[in-house]
Amino acid sequence: MRKDEAIEIVKPHLKKERFEHTLRVADTAVQLAEKYDESVEKAELAAILHDYAKYFPLEDMRQIINGSDLPNDLLDYHHELWHGPAASVLIKQKHGISDLDIRNAIHYHTTGRAGMSRLEMILFVSDYIEPGRSFPGVDEVRTVAQTDLHHAAWMALRNTIQFLVSKHATVYPDTFYAYNHLTKRLNAGGNDIS
Ligand code: DGI
Ligand code: FE
Ligand code: FE
């Protein structure tokens, strides 16, 4: 699918700010794909489509999740976690995108997961560091993303877990699995991640 076709699909479903966020995530994902030798086309397409289902009615997302192979335990967690998995199903069913790496990048863009592919990490980090984001600590993640994608993904996961815990929010298991996986990897590599 071409970039302009993907934009036409998502644009009617996104508010203005969310559409602008989407374009910034796409720019960031292209930059990271160039840096880390990933397909620029895949990174751009995954980024354009990643928040496709963000404003779908909760009932629609619930139905998509129930009617698919997606884990039903998603429905026991915050509905913010539903839009990535729902979009990964929709882009295949409605728009014929079957590339599994693109679909996984979209599926896991909110939670992360253990053993993310390079494309998955590029989208995960791009969504976190795009220039419109102002989370505490985001500048540090932006800097690290220029030299170490795994470390940047680890920092984004750490910050998100800390943020969720500070709000007494639940944390979806995949987010912990992603964090643990990258922690082991970084420790094994002798990186100082203290
Ligand atoms: O859709 P975006 O706003 O661009 O970003 P996103 O898809 O990363 O959604 C982030 C929101 O999801 C953020 O407000 C935190 C929330 N969230 C709720 N529960 C979890 C969670 N994020 C993660 N990683 N894990 C959770 O369990
Ligand atoms: Fe999202
Ligand atoms: Fe997003």
Side-chain angles (χ1 to χ4, degrees):
M1 179 179 292
R2 292 195 320 269
K3 173 185 178 176
D4 56 319
E5 291 177 90
I7 288 177
E8 288 313 306
I9 290 171
V10 299
K11 198 171 181 189
H13 296 282
L14 301 178
K15 297 177 188 170
K16 182 169 174 286
E17 304 76 54
R18 179 64 40 181
F19 181 65
E20 288 165 0
H21 157 76
T22 293
L23 297 180
R24 291 191 300 266
V25 175
D27 282 350
T28 308
V30 164
Q31 285 168 25
L32 292 181
E34 282 166 352
K35 190 179 291 293
Y36 294 106
D37 207 16
E38 180 51 85
S39 160
V40 167
E41 290 75 26
K42 283 193 192 195
E44 190 170 47
L45 200 53
I48 291 169
L49 296 167
H50 85 283
D51 276 339
Y52 177 22
K54 182 88 176 176
Y55 301 113
F56 278 34
L58 295 186
E59 248 340 285
D60 292 7
M61 285 194 276
R62 203 189 299 272
Q63 272 187 22
I64 292 166
I65 290 168
N66 273 327
S68 73
D69 296 338
L70 295 172
N72 280 354
D73 75 338
L74 275 169
L75 299 173
D76 299 331
Y77 287 84
H78 198 277
H79 56 73
E80 266 295 333
L81 303 186
W82 302 354
H83 69 284
S88 77
V89 170
L90 276 180
I91 60 165
K92 175 149 192 240
Q93 288 182 351
K94 280 185 73 177
H95 306 289
I97 294 177
S98 52
D99 185 297
L100 196 55
D101 208 13
I102 292 178
R103 292 186 56 223
N104 282 337
I106 293 170
H107 182 153
Y108 297 105
H109 85 262
T110 305
T111 60
R113 66 163 171 167
M116 282 188 273
S117 71
R118 199 163 28 170
L119 187 70
E120 288 173 58
M121 272 189 294
I122 285 173
L123 182 56
F124 184 79
V125 170
S126 299
D127 194 23
Y128 192 84
I129 66 169
E130 63 90 346
R133 297 294 206 191
S134 56
F135 309 126
V138 69
D139 275 336
E140 200 189 351
V141 188
R142 286 187 181 115
T143 303
V144 171
Q146 301 312 309
T147 54
D148 188 337
L149 183 63
H150 288 85
H151 199 163
W154 178 86
M155 290 170 91
L157 286 159
R158 176 203 58 188
N159 292 355
T160 300
I161 290 170
Q162 283 177 340
F163 168 74
L164 291 169
V165 170
S166 78
K167 287 202 316 173
H168 291 204
T170 54
V171 181
Y172 190 66
D174 275 339
T175 304
F176 283 127
Y177 291 135
Y179 170 81
N180 289 341
H181 181 92
L182 288 173
T183 299
K184 285 181 197 168
R185 200 195 131 105
L186 292 171
N187 286 345
N191 287 34
D192 177 7
I193 52 168
S194 56

